[in-house]
Amino acid sequence: MAVNGQHHCDTRLPQGNDTAKSITQHGFRIITKKLPILKAEPIERMTSQLGITPPEMIFGDNEVTIEHIASGWAITFNAFDALDKVDKTGASMLQVAHSKEWQSTREKKHEGITEVVKPFDWSYSTDYKGTQSKTIPDFQPTTTAIPLELLKRPDPIIFYDDVVLYEDEMADNGITMLSCKIRVMPARLLLLCRFFMRLDNVQLRIRDTRVYVEFATGEVIREYTAKEEGYEAVRQKLAMRGQDVPAQLRDPNNLSQLLPIVDQKLERLVIG
């Protein structure tokens, strides 16, 4: 639907091969795609290509894309590229007894391709910040922060989606998940790609990539923030607040306020 020539929105429910939703706003096209969990054959191909076993719930066809139509610049978030940034050496593997149990269950589940399964970070922790279609222009370090005051305005949300890329229950010892949420307003958009991991009695970890676009100027700001803390330290903080500890340990929005920052990166580019 066009409003003063500013945007076109197609939010049809998927039918047959029609699995995408999209909106075009001031020369930017935003596309989200959601499909069911991958079946056995695609999982085997992904395992071979990645060199690691994918998470138990892998949405390999899901993706979120922000594209500037005139220049061809785009940034996409997908499961394969995110998993390709998982440590495959095992050097950062969480050293707990459950990791061996997890490994054995995966080898049984993917019998016949165990030769490519090797020690790796079984939490699927990734510092994935998206995949660019071209690097001209490319992100450069900046001190310009995402303008929160503009995002707090009561502007109408003309497009929203929540896309899960992968999830794993870590042999019933917690959860690890990567998902993307995007909301588009008339003058700007904000995407949040969040990696969340809770390994019970060991550690909690959140890694957020935010992409902010100001349509009128072509300014794109990308902010990456990594947070983590020991499980017991977080549990004690929640208990001291008198909160429902089990429920809050499943809520990354609440936990994000409690975990200390361990890494942060701010970048910017302007599309001419």
Side-chain angles (χ1 to χ4, degrees), residues 43-44 47 51-56 93 98-120 122 124 168 171:
I43 288 177
E44 290 185 9
T47 301
I52 62 174
T53 308
E56 58 187 356
M93 182 188 297
H98 301 302
S99 62
K100 291 184 179 180
E101 174 189 345
W102 178 93
Q103 184 73 17
S104 66
T105 61
R106 287 312 158 87
E107 291 180 356
K108 293 175 184 177
K109 186 174 295 185
H110 300 284
E111 185 177 358
I113 55 172
T114 55
E115 68 276 2
V116 301
V117 178
K118 56 189 178 183
F120 66 95
W122 72 306
Y124 296 105
D168 195 290

Side-chain angles (χ1 to χ4, degrees), residues 26 59 63 80 87 112 129 208 236 264:
H26 295 291
F59 297 88
E63 63 181 29
F80 183 91
D87 171 39
K129 304 176 186 69
D208 287 342
Q236 290 181 9
Q264 194 164 37

Side-chain angles (χ1 to χ4, degrees), residues 10-250:
D10 182 358
T11 56
R12 292 173 292 167
L13 293 175
Q15 295 180 353
N17 293 325
D18 183 11
T19 60
K21 296 197 304 183
S22 68
I23 186 172
T24 300
Q25 183 75 347
H26 295 291
F28 284 87
R29 180 162 52 220
I30 298 90
I31 306 168
T32 62
K33 185 165 70 171
K34 292 194 281 190
L35 283 165
I37 295 172
L38 287 185
K39 295 183 179 180
E41 186 176 342
I43 288 177
E44 290 185 9
R45 287 199 302 269
M46 180 176 283
T47 301
S48 178
Q49 292 169 358
L50 286 172
I52 62 174
T53 308
E56 58 187 356
M57 287 176 280
I58 175 69
F59 297 88
D61 294 317
N62 288 6
E63 63 181 29
V64 178
T65 298
I66 302 168
E67 176 190 10
H68 184 255
I69 299 170
S71 69
W73 179 90
I75 186 167
T76 298
F77 291 81
N78 64 75
F80 183 91
D81 290 342
L83 289 169
D84 201 30
K85 292 184 70 63
V86 170
D87 171 39
K88 301 174 185 178
T89 68
S92 61
M93 182 188 297
L94 293 167
Q95 298 297 324
V96 295
H98 301 302
S99 62
K100 291 184 179 180
E101 174 189 345
W102 178 93
Q103 184 73 17
S104 66
T105 61
R106 287 312 158 87
E107 291 180 356
K108 293 175 184 177
K109 186 174 295 185
H110 300 284
E111 185 177 358
I113 55 172
T114 55
E115 68 276 2
V116 301
V117 178
K118 56 189 178 183
F120 66 95
D121 180 6
W122 72 306
S123 74
Y124 296 105
S125 295
T126 179
D127 61 356
Y128 182 55
K129 304 176 186 69
T131 305
Q132 292 186 74
S133 63
K134 56 191 294 187
T135 56
I136 300 175
D138 198 4
F139 285 102
Q140 300 296 328
T142 184
T143 57
T144 302
I146 292 175
L148 298 178
E149 68 281 358
L150 294 179
L151 294 171
K152 291 177 181 178
R153 291 180 178 180
D155 295 330
I157 296 175
I158 57 178
F159 182 92
Y160 174 84
D161 213 344
D162 186 351
V163 180
V164 177
L165 299 180
Y166 63 76
E167 184 174 346
D168 195 290
E169 294 184 350
M170 306 176 76
D172 294 324
N173 292 292
I175 188 171
T176 184
M177 180 169 65
L178 183 70
S179 63
C180 290
K181 294 182 179 180
I182 187 166
R183 59 184 172 109
V184 181
M185 289 73 71
R188 56 193 58 88
L189 71 77
L190 180 68
L191 175 146
L192 169 62
C193 183
R194 168 167 284 175
F195 171 80
F196 170 57
M197 184 211 73
R198 186 195 75 245
L199 182 55
D200 294 337
N201 302 310
V202 179
Q203 194 172 42
L204 291 110
R205 180 177 290 160
I206 293 176
R207 294 177 177 177
D208 287 342
T209 296
R210 289 177 171 85
V211 177
Y212 170 88
V213 178
E214 186 71 23
F215 298 131
T217 63
E219 180 182 42
V220 183
I221 301 174
R222 182 168 64 180
E223 177 190 271
Y224 171 76
T225 304
K227 301 179 179 181
E228 59 183 68
E229 181 70 285
Y231 183 95
E232 181 60 23
V234 176
R235 191 197 66 79
Q236 290 181 9
K237 290 179 183 178
L238 291 170
M240 290 177 61
R241 294 184 174 192
Q243 295 180 322
D244 182 344
V245 175
Q248 294 301 319
L249 284 171
R250 296 190 292 269

